[in-house]
Amino acid sequence: MANIEVAYAKPDKQWIITVELELPASILDAIHKSNILEQCSEIDLTKNKVGIFGEILSLDSAVYENARVEIYRPLQKDPMMKRFERVKQERKRTS
């Protein structure tokens, strides 16, 4: 048996659920075993990206001992656009 963590975070709360899986197992197996989909109904595995330790992978990718499966939320805003808006606001304040 292998210990796997399944992680998901919202702005106000995060989940890190440890599950035990018989290897070989996939990211999808770990997600289902964690029951995170029942706790967070907004997760849509056809839209949300998943990965292990920050590396985006497919649902059928293999997990391994002590892996942390992460379910990613879509970005609210493009990071470059956010930076552009911050610079624009800063320039208004200093003008």
Side-chain angles (χ1 to χ4, degrees), residues 31-47:
I31 290 171
H32 284 306
K33 178 88 183 233
S34 74
N35 291 319
I36 190 73
L37 299 177
E38 287 76 24
Q39 297 176 51
C40 303
S41 60
E42 71 276 5
I43 297 173
D44 180 351
L45 294 178
T46 63
K47 295 179 183 171

Side-chain angles (χ1 to χ4, degrees), residues 17-94:
I17 302 163
T18 302
V19 297
E20 284 188 3
L21 288 175
E22 188 79 32
L23 297 179
S26 68
I27 287 176
L28 185 59
D29 295 331
I31 290 171
H32 284 306
K33 178 88 183 233
S34 74
N35 291 319
I36 190 73
L37 299 177
E38 287 76 24
Q39 297 176 51
C40 303
S41 60
E42 71 276 5
I43 297 173
D44 180 351
L45 294 178
T46 63
K47 295 179 183 171
N48 290 80
K49 294 183 180 186
V50 297
I52 296 177
F53 292 120
E55 179 183 353
I56 295 175
L57 299 167
S58 64
L59 289 168
D60 62 350
S61 296
V63 294
Y64 48 86
E65 178 71 35
N66 297 322
R68 184 179 64 212
V69 171
E70 299 164 334
I71 303 170
Y72 306 112
R73 291 182 297 116
L75 294 174
Q76 297 298 316
K77 266 191 179 177
D78 175 41
M80 290 298 289
M81 194 57 157
K82 265 180 109 170
R83 183 178 184 285
F84 175 75
E85 290 171 1
R86 277 196 315 268
V87 169
K88 190 174 174 182
Q89 288 299 322
E90 186 62 33
R91 286 184 180 161
K92 280 185 183 179
R93 279 187 267 169
T94 59

